[in-house]
Amino acid sequence: MAHIQLETFITAPIELCFDLARDIDVHLAAAAGRGQKAIAGTTTGLIGLGETVTWEGRYLLLRRRMTSRIVEFDFPHMFADEMQRGAFRHWRHTHNFMQAGGVTRMHDDVDFASPFGPIGYMTDVLFMRNYMRKLLLGHNAFLKYLAENPSQLDGLSNTPSDTKGKT
């Protein structure tokens, strides 16, 4: 199993950061270059406990689908999503948020495993961990930009108005 941990420090309220991290429209905007779509379940706005989303997009030159469910939820401190169906053998992404002195620390903890036993393990170690880390870093940079520049939220078509403009 591969493991990725990332920390992103955002000068914005914890509630805004939490909501942006679970906003389907923000996720889609961050992944625009991969042609990602939300095709089933919660396909726009904020996703919550027990809800699912099925993503479809181009990864590694192939069109892939993955359905995730929010399995833990503690607003505005933590939520976790787990793959229900998809290309991985296992996927769990825990999002933790802490605020101190006007700065929110967003901590991502991702565990995943590719299928095919030892071949999948070697793929994870040699390639997938770095590939997924790069995708997550890009997503987090986009989320940080939006949180620190809330006027940019108006450009996202279905972002809930209660998160727009909060500072």
Side-chain angles (χ1 to χ4, degrees), residues 50-88:
E51 295 179 327
T52 63
V53 59
T54 299
W55 303 104
E56 181 180 87
R58 286 186 315 276
Y59 297 93
L60 304 173
L61 305 176
L62 298 173
R63 183 150 299 281
R64 300 187 185 272
R65 287 185 178 177
M66 182 168 96
T67 300
S68 292
R69 177 180 305 278
I70 304 298
V71 296
E72 292 183 57
F73 191 91
D74 177 21
F75 180 84
H77 303 288
M78 186 275 278
F79 70 96
D81 59 89
E82 289 184 354
M83 183 188 76
Q84 306 297 297
R85 286 184 307 278
F88 292 104

Side-chain angles (χ1 to χ4, degrees), residues 76-166:
H77 303 288
M78 186 275 278
F79 70 96
D81 59 89
E82 289 184 354
M83 183 188 76
Q84 306 297 297
R85 286 184 307 278
F88 292 104
R89 186 172 49 106
H90 168 79
W91 173 275
R92 180 181 171 95
H93 185 176
T94 303
H95 313 251
N96 288 287
F97 302 84
M98 293 179 57
Q99 188 166 31
V103 175
T104 299
R105 178 181 69 103
M106 183 174 70
H107 178 86
D108 292 281
D109 194 345
V110 180
D111 287 309
F112 68 93
S114 295
F116 309 120
I119 293 170
Y121 175 79
M122 292 304 295
T123 300
D124 290 345
V125 169
L126 297 173
F127 178 72
M128 285 302 293
R129 184 178 339 196
N130 289 333
Y131 177 78
M132 294 307 302
R133 181 178 175 82
K134 182 178 173 184
L135 289 179
L136 291 166
L137 284 169
H139 181 269
N140 288 358
F142 184 74
L143 192 148
K144 175 181 171 70
Y145 173 76
L146 288 178
E148 292 178 350
N149 299 279
S151 64
Q152 299 301 307
L153 293 172
D154 292 331
L156 299 175
S157 60
N158 294 312
T159 301
S161 59
D162 63 322
T163 63
K164 290 180 183 174
K166 286 187 180 178

